[in-house]
Amino acid sequence: KNCKIFTVIFRDMEGSLTARDRVGIQDFVLLDAYTSETAFMDNLRKRFNENLIYTYIGTLLVSVNPYKELGIYTKKQMDIYMGVNFFELPPHIFALADNVYRTMISETNNHFILISGESGAGKTEASKTVLQFYAVCCPSTRLLDNVRDRLLLSNPVLEAFGNAKTLKNDNSSRFGKYMDIQFDHQGAAVGGHILSYLLEKSRVVHQNRGERNFHIFYQLVEGGEDELLRWLGLERNCQKYRYLIQGECAKVSSINDKSDWKTVQKALTIIEFSEKDIEHLFAIIASVLHLGNVHFEASAHGYATLNSSAEVHWLSKVLSTDTSISIYHFQVLSPFTAEHAKYARDALAKAIYGRTFSWLVNKINESLANKDSTRKTVIGLLDIYGFEVFDVNSFEQFCINFCNEKLQQLFIQLTLKSEQEEYEMEGIEWEPVPYFNNKIICDLVEEKHRGIISILDEECLRPGEATDFTFLEKLEEKMCGHPHFVTHKLADPKTRKTLERGDFRLLHYAGEVTYSVVGKFHLMQTVATQFKSSLAGLTEILMTKEPWYVRCLKPNHCKQPDHFDDVMVRHQVKYLGLMEHLRVRRAGFAYRRRYEVFLKRYKALCPDTWPHWKGTPAEGVQRLIKHLGYKPDEYKMGRTKIFIRHPRTLFATEDAFEICKHELATRIQAKYKGYRVKGEYQRKREAATKIETCWRGLQARKERERRAWAVKVIKKFIKGFINRNQPVSMDNSEYLAFVRQSYLTRLKENLPKSVLDKTSWLTPPPIMQEASVLLRKLHTRLIVRKYVRGISAQQKVQLQIKALTSYIFKGRKENYPQSVSLCSLFVYSGEQDINIRVLQLICPEGIKYSVPVIKYDRNGFRPRFRQLIFTQAAAYLVEEAKIKQRVNYSSLKGVSVSDLSDNFLILHVTCEDTKQKGDLVLQCSYLFEALTKICVVTKNHNLIKIVQGSVRFDIQPGKEGFVDFKSSSESMVYRAKNGHLMVVSPHNAMHTTL
């Protein structure tokens, strides 16, 4: 048995270096011609042709997308790489994930894995693979399994709502994602947190030919249940929805929308989305599809009209008019053109989807949140959109490429610079390697007061109208002469032919990209600044953690297996900085390892260090390499590591180790066989057998006792169930006690949260019916008591006033139900809006309420803006600093309002009083509040009279007038031919009153 263990150990210690002659070099650092890009490409191609898609550059992992299944991500593969030294097995993403995990556990610090590359290079799959590895390798309990399942299933949900088919990738991430996986001190995954960046909301309303909208739309239409689609008003046909067919590829053979729909439904359930949350979520998704089918046409006057039914009359107003509020709180509507209305429709759709996605991420974070407050270590996974260049590159593409530029700068800071600093820390002399620092490009975009984003901010805030072209002119003025910026105006004659007048071109680290400012580029000020701040925050997060890198490459544009496009791959190798990274790693020394690791692997090669070395690791390594005959120019001893200059030196050491380990296995096996011959082995075997027998007997007796007890309990339970409806006795007492306890326990976890909840109370068993009634009453009283105790004196007054409003108008005035949800708390006095001179005159009476109104002349009905003020003694009609009319409450006969949805009121006063000027005809936006206030002030709740059709009022003694009320499709106020004031109100219209 022990011999087999040693054999497995040596087999697992098969180093990647021993496979160098079989398929290329597994670590580019060991490449002899390390400065040759051709040699680099040859090695990469050779391994790709043998389905070896992973290669190291030190601890950096280079991954080439194979565009086919390779069977290298199985549970067996995970077990092989779990707990093994990073360089002992062939390169694999499992090796990197395991090394990050074990380093985090041993050093108790935080790490992150940056996965970068072009769209379609395999970044998302790499991120999922790392997550699956941690789900398998971490300690497991029932609680931890729930966390693991949520971490894993957050991926399909985020992919459904944030990924889409593009020309380069069938599952392209259209948002940036950073996930922190939280581990406790034992290495168990106990929680997580997700940050999302710059969702490509423009895809909701527009897709290029050959591309699709976000997956979830197609999954819902193709996979949603018939009942769900009927409830959402959808048809099972993507061709019916404008937002889904612009790319002309609603159905894709490589994507199974029905199967993905089931996966998303299962994931939402496990992530603990309630049924109500799921219903609301898909209702919003359906609303976006319906919104995309809203069609506008130009009227005879050139304004937008909605070609739809009256059911969406409110939508017509929202999308076809611009609304502003005047100084007197009245709405001013400006009609849109058809083009503006379409833009408003699309902007609304993008805003709805963007906020829904943010809500979704927050909901997932709530499910992943770790409730334990003890210190945790984390491993971050950053899967960010790749650098892309399209025929037309918009503002969103500008942000995406800027993000990649920042990540490249981070790569330079954390990797290339730190690699050079390692030699200095180890005390090793070497010559620095120059590399391109893209800080100049990052500053071009984000530098304060001088960068593109700052110029965009300034241009949008300057006086006058800012346009796309004024923004471009400002860029040309500020950026003139910059080596990485050019426009049509600034370019030389040859370059000018490739640029439109609305374009500017940036020379990124990954190549040239031409951006078009045409199409609302200047309106993206807030988004640009927020995105810049988000990237700064992300950089701060990453700078506090230890970095690890996965560089993903696309072998071809066609997503074709076994096809390696040299030109395309060479371009990616160049802009990902792989050659610079390799040159820095090989600056003087090809190989470096900590003394402990080097000694552990090769100590069998020296009699002085095998099997146990008593001194320090550095001394052991020195003794070992002396025995191996290393020459002085072949290595250097640092403070904590050994540095080997040439790959051939390491290859020779590895070959010697291959021979040595076979000799060791033979010697161990021979010694073990000799041990078995001795009688000591037989004696120990007999002792072990006897101990095992006694232990098995003890376990069997315990099991028998446990089963006997279980049988007794089950019998008693069955007997109690049979006699459950009988009086309490020995036969059923324990069962009934269990029933009572079980019901009370379940009731405790499911108590109603409000008095209005009439359905949540659990149905009691017969024995608990009386107790249930009493408990329900007690619980209701407790809820009411808590609610009442939480209400302030002011709120009680407000509730009383609201009750009065309901008493007066409920069921009597047409627009009262719509006003209830909008009603205020009746706390506004209005003193701050009253002229100081008027305030001085009437303040002694005690001002109770003030509201702006429109007063219609009694002769001619000309509208005039006034202010209606209620004091303790009278009502005042005021024009700025002048009191126009005072109505004593003793002279107020009543107040008339119609039963329709208008906002008119007529104050009837006693005309015998010579000081009075007749009745008042007023229009008030805050009708219900004003009428309730006058009832409270006058202490006369019967003052209000609700009439139908027409109201008579006194112009002056002996002369009367009329106000006629009726309903129509639009609201109007005008003087009719019969001399009456005609008030037309829309039927059941939404009002901005209480």
Side-chain angles (χ1 to χ4, degrees), residues 524-670:
M524 307 305 290
Q525 169 204 2
T526 305
V527 178
T529 305
Q530 289 177 349
F531 185 62
K532 174 184 172 183
S533 300
S534 297
L535 279 184
L538 175 62
T539 303
E540 289 180 7
I541 291 173
L542 299 183
M543 291 292 284
T544 62
K545 298 177 173 62
E546 295 295 322
W548 301 77
Y549 300 97
V550 179
R551 293 300 211 190
C552 299
L553 303 176
K554 289 174 61 175
N556 58 77
H557 278 302
C558 312
K559 295 178 280 190
Q560 181 180 345
D562 305 319
H563 175 54
F564 192 91
D565 186 335
D566 276 58
V567 175
M568 180 178 175
V569 176
R570 191 182 299 268
H571 174 68
Q572 295 173 76
V573 167
K574 182 177 180 180
Y575 78 67
L576 288 174
L578 299 184
M579 293 302 299
E580 286 91 342
H581 185 70
L582 175 57
R583 284 198 294 272
V584 172
R585 291 285 297 184
R586 276 296 304 270
F589 300 94
Y591 175 90
R592 82 289 310 271
R593 288 291 180 274
R594 295 185 67 84
Y595 292 134
E596 298 87 343
V597 176
F598 188 85
L599 182 62
K600 181 180 178 181
R601 180 167 180 81
Y602 298 116
K603 64 181 180 178
L605 298 178
C606 176
D608 294 340
T609 57
W610 175 261
H612 303 293
W613 172 251
K614 303 298 183 181
T616 65
E619 293 171 346
V621 171
Q622 187 72 55
R623 185 73 59 86
L624 173 61
I625 60 178
K626 182 179 180 181
H627 177 77
L628 294 174
Y630 280 21
K631 296 178 181 179
D633 63 340
E634 292 182 339
Y635 73 97
K636 289 288 184 183
M637 299 290 286
R639 294 186 176 93
T640 64
K641 297 178 182 178
I642 179 173
F643 292 79
I644 298 177
R645 187 176 301 279
H646 306 297
R648 61 177 179 271
T649 305
L650 186 63
F651 292 157
T653 305
E654 190 68 23
D655 289 340
F657 176 67
E658 286 294 309
I659 297 172
C660 178
K661 71 182 181 182
H662 291 297
E663 294 176 353
L664 284 174
T666 303
R667 286 162 55 190
I668 291 171
Q669 188 176 22

Side-chain angles (χ1 to χ4, degrees), residues 557-831:
H557 278 302
C558 312
K559 295 178 280 190
Q560 181 180 345
D562 305 319
H563 175 54
F564 192 91
D565 186 335
D566 276 58
V567 175
M568 180 178 175
V569 176
R570 191 182 299 268
H571 174 68
Q572 295 173 76
V573 167
K574 182 177 180 180
Y575 78 67
L576 288 174
L578 299 184
M579 293 302 299
E580 286 91 342
H581 185 70
L582 175 57
R583 284 198 294 272
V584 172
R585 291 285 297 184
R586 276 296 304 270
F589 300 94
Y591 175 90
R592 82 289 310 271
R593 288 291 180 274
R594 295 185 67 84
Y595 292 134
E596 298 87 343
V597 176
F598 188 85
L599 182 62
K600 181 180 178 181
R601 180 167 180 81
Y602 298 116
K603 64 181 180 178
L605 298 178
C606 176
D608 294 340
T609 57
W610 175 261
H612 303 293
W613 172 251
K614 303 298 183 181
T616 65
E619 293 171 346
V621 171
Q622 187 72 55
R623 185 73 59 86
L624 173 61
I625 60 178
K626 182 179 180 181
H627 177 77
L628 294 174
Y630 280 21
K631 296 178 181 179
D633 63 340
E634 292 182 339
Y635 73 97
K636 289 288 184 183
M637 299 290 286
R639 294 186 176 93
T640 64
K641 297 178 182 178
I642 179 173
F643 292 79
I644 298 177
R645 187 176 301 279
H646 306 297
R648 61 177 179 271
T649 305
L650 186 63
F651 292 157
T653 305
E654 190 68 23
D655 289 340
F657 176 67
E658 286 294 309
I659 297 172
C660 178
K661 71 182 181 182
H662 291 297
E663 294 176 353
L664 284 174
T666 303
R667 286 162 55 190
I668 291 171
Q669 188 176 22
K671 185 176 181 180
Y672 179 71
K673 287 181 179 179
Y675 175 77
R676 289 188 61 186
V677 175
K678 297 180 181 179
E680 182 68 16
Y681 168 78
Q682 190 65 28
R683 188 181 66 80
K684 290 185 177 180
R685 179 175 182 179
E686 291 174 358
T689 303
K690 188 173 182 179
I691 294 172
E692 183 180 9
T693 302
C694 293
W695 178 251
R696 289 181 182 273
L698 176 63
Q699 292 297 98
R701 287 190 293 275
K702 287 185 177 180
E703 179 66 14
R704 182 185 64 187
E705 293 174 1
R706 191 182 68 82
R707 292 188 179 186
W709 173 84
V711 168
K712 186 178 178 180
V713 171
I714 292 171
K715 284 182 177 180
K716 186 176 289 188
F717 186 88
I718 294 174
K719 197 170 185 178
F721 177 77
I722 295 173
N723 296 282
R724 65 187 182 279
N725 296 323
Q726 301 299 321
V728 179
S729 64
M730 292 291 293
D731 293 335
N732 64 4
S733 60
E734 291 188 21
Y735 175 80
L736 294 178
F738 169 77
V739 170
R740 286 193 292 268
Q741 181 181 357
S742 176
Y743 174 71
L744 292 175
T745 302
R746 289 186 295 113
L747 183 62
K748 176 185 175 183
E749 303 298 329
N750 296 277
L751 289 172
K753 299 298 188 295
S754 71
V755 178
L756 301 178
D757 187 354
K758 304 295 184 182
T759 61
S760 295
W761 193 267
L762 297 180
T763 303
I767 194 173
M768 293 295 292
Q769 287 183 352
E770 184 177 355
S772 175
V773 173
L774 294 175
L775 289 172
R776 189 167 189 174
K777 290 181 180 178
L778 288 172
H779 181 66
T780 302
R781 292 178 63 184
L782 177 63
I783 295 176
V784 172
R785 181 178 297 177
K786 287 182 178 179
Y787 178 76
V788 171
R789 287 179 177 177
I791 297 177
S792 65
Q794 186 181 26
Q795 288 175 319
K796 290 181 181 178
V797 174
Q798 295 165 4
L799 290 174
Q800 291 171 355
I801 295 177
K802 288 184 180 181
L804 175 60
T805 307
S806 176
Y807 168 78
I808 298 173
F809 297 105
K810 185 176 181 180
R812 302 178 65 193
K813 187 157 177 68
E814 190 174 273
N815 61 330
Y816 174 72
Q818 287 78 21
S819 72
V820 172
S821 62
L822 302 174
C823 95
S824 69
L825 297 179
F826 296 91
V827 296
Y828 171 68
S829 68
E831 290 188 20

Side-chain angles (χ1 to χ4, degrees), residues 50-164:
E50 295 295 330
N51 293 327
L52 298 174
I53 63 172
Y54 294 120
T55 312
Y56 292 138
I57 306 179
T59 57
L60 181 146
L61 182 67
V62 179
S63 170
V64 185
N65 194 338
Y67 293 123
K68 64 180 179 180
E69 292 291 334
L70 296 179
I72 59 174
Y73 304 109
T74 62
K75 173 65 166 59
K76 182 179 179 181
Q77 288 285 323
M78 293 183 187
D79 292 338
I80 291 174
Y81 279 90
M82 206 176 297
V84 179
N85 187 277
F86 188 54
F87 293 100
E88 288 183 2
L89 292 174
H92 200 291
I93 196 168
F94 289 162
L96 182 135
D98 180 71
N99 203 41
V100 175
Y101 176 74
R102 288 189 295 109
T103 305
M104 176 199 70
I105 297 298
S106 61
E107 299 180 1
T108 321
N109 56 359
N110 299 326
H111 298 255
F112 76 90
I113 302 174
L114 172 57
I115 304 172
S116 58
E118 285 192 12
S119 178
K123 300 187 301 299
T124 300
E125 291 303 313
S127 176
K128 288 194 290 187
T129 302
V130 172
L131 202 56
Q132 289 165 354
F133 179 82
Y134 291 144
V136 172
C137 75
C138 294
S140 178
T141 65
R142 183 175 180 181
L143 175 62
L144 298 178
D145 286 347
N146 289 336
V147 174
R148 177 199 64 192
D149 293 342
R150 293 172 194 169
L151 283 169
L152 289 174
L153 291 174
S154 64
N155 261 326
V157 174
L158 291 175
E159 286 182 9
F161 286 84
N163 289 22

Side-chain angles (χ1 to χ4, degrees), residues 384-395:
I384 209 86
Y385 14 57
F387 186 90
E388 292 178 326
V389 183
F390 296 104
D391 293 337
V392 178
N393 298 285
S394 63
F395 170 79

